[in-house]
């Protein structure tokens, strides 16, 4: 009994080492209250522009319209082609949200912002619904942000998407 337990502990030792926090200087990210406020404003503009159908305001948040922007289903879901994987699906999002004539409301919850200088990562839960029908979806998204010439911009966005409960 002692040898198998010892073997298990030996095998798990590298995982325990990876879980350590590391040296204290690694946890000293460069961050300011002003940056967090600016990132929160970016998120407010994001939801407001989706809700208002304001394509120009939304696109002003992006570094460019070719940023990696995709649901995980587009990459890994049923029918996804492993040979033709693309993450630059913003144009599909733009067409469905801003050109379809359908209006949406979007809300963010459980927002977490991590930042080190000009790089930030935001993770959050969201609900998006058609304004008239109430149909919609929810999921989790991560956004990579870069501070460019003093302004936070979305460099990438990936998200999961599921139908709202009762709407499958």
């Amino acid at each position: 009994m002692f040898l198998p337990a010892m073997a298990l502990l030996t095998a798990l030792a590298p995982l325990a080492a990876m879980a350590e926090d590391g040296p204290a200087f690694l946890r000293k990210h460069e961050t300011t209250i002003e940056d967090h406020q600016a990132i929160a404003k970016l998120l407010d503009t994001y939801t407001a522009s989706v809700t208002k159908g304001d394509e120009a305001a939304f696109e002003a948040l992006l570094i460019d319209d070719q940023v990696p922007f995709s649901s995980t289903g587009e990459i890994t879901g049923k029918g996804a082609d492993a040979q033709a994987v693309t993450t630059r699906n913003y144009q599909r999002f733009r067409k469905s949200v801003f050109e379809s004539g359908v209006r949406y409301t979007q809300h963010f919850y459980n927002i977490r912002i991590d930042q080190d200088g000009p790089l930030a990562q935001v993770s959050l839960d969201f609900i998006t619904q058609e304004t008239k029908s109430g149909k919609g979806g929810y999921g989790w998204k991560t956004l990579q942000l870069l501070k460019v010439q003093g302004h936070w911009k979305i460099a990438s966005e990936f998200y999961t998407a599921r139908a709202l409960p009762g709407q499958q």
Side-chain angles (χ1 to χ4, degrees):
M1 184 72 163
F2 177 74
L3 285 176
M6 197 59 173
L8 179 61
L9 286 174
T10 302
L12 293 177
L15 294 177
M18 288 189 326
E20 290 181 22
D21 289 337
F25 65 83
L26 290 176
R27 293 181 299 279
K28 293 183 180 179
H29 292 182
E30 181 185 318
T31 184
T32 66
I33 291 171
E34 293 79 16
D35 279 328
H36 273 254
Q37 290 171 338
I39 292 168
K41 184 176 185 215
L42 177 145
L43 297 173
D44 287 343
T45 301
Y46 186 119
T47 57
S49 62
V50 168
T51 298
K52 294 176 185 174
D54 188 343
E55 181 179 351
F58 188 87
E59 289 191 354
L61 302 175
L62 304 174
I63 284 182
D64 62 46
D65 66 359
Q66 296 300 310
V67 298
F69 193 108
S70 186
S71 74
T72 56
E74 292 174 297
I75 300 167
T76 64
K78 227 179 196 179
D81 180 356
Q83 302 303 314
V85 170
T86 181
T87 60
R88 298 184 191 283
N89 296 315
Y90 172 69
Q91 297 307 323
R92 189 174 309 148
F93 173 87
R94 181 182 56 75
K95 287 177 184 175
S96 67
V97 171
F98 299 115
E99 293 180 6
S100 68
V102 177
R103 290 289 142 240
Y104 296 90
T105 57
Q106 187 167 64
H107 299 281
F108 292 161
Y109 303 92
N110 305 316
I111 299 168
R112 178 181 169 159
I113 300 169
D114 294 307
Q115 178 206 357
D116 188 13
L119 175 65
Q121 174 177 283
V122 177
S123 66
L124 55 87
D125 296 307
F126 69 92
I127 297 174
T128 303
Q129 292 179 276
E130 293 180 7
T131 304
K132 288 185 181 178
S133 72
K135 291 181 184 177
Y138 73 100
W140 178 65
K141 68 173 66 187
T142 61
L143 299 102
Q144 294 292 137
L145 307 177
L146 292 172
K147 192 171 186 181
V148 179
Q149 297 178 341
H151 300 283
W152 286 100
K153 298 287 187 174
I154 298 170
S156 71
E157 176 178 326
F158 294 101
Y159 56 95
T160 60
R162 299 173 185 87
L164 286 169
Q167 294 185 8
Q168 285 79 347

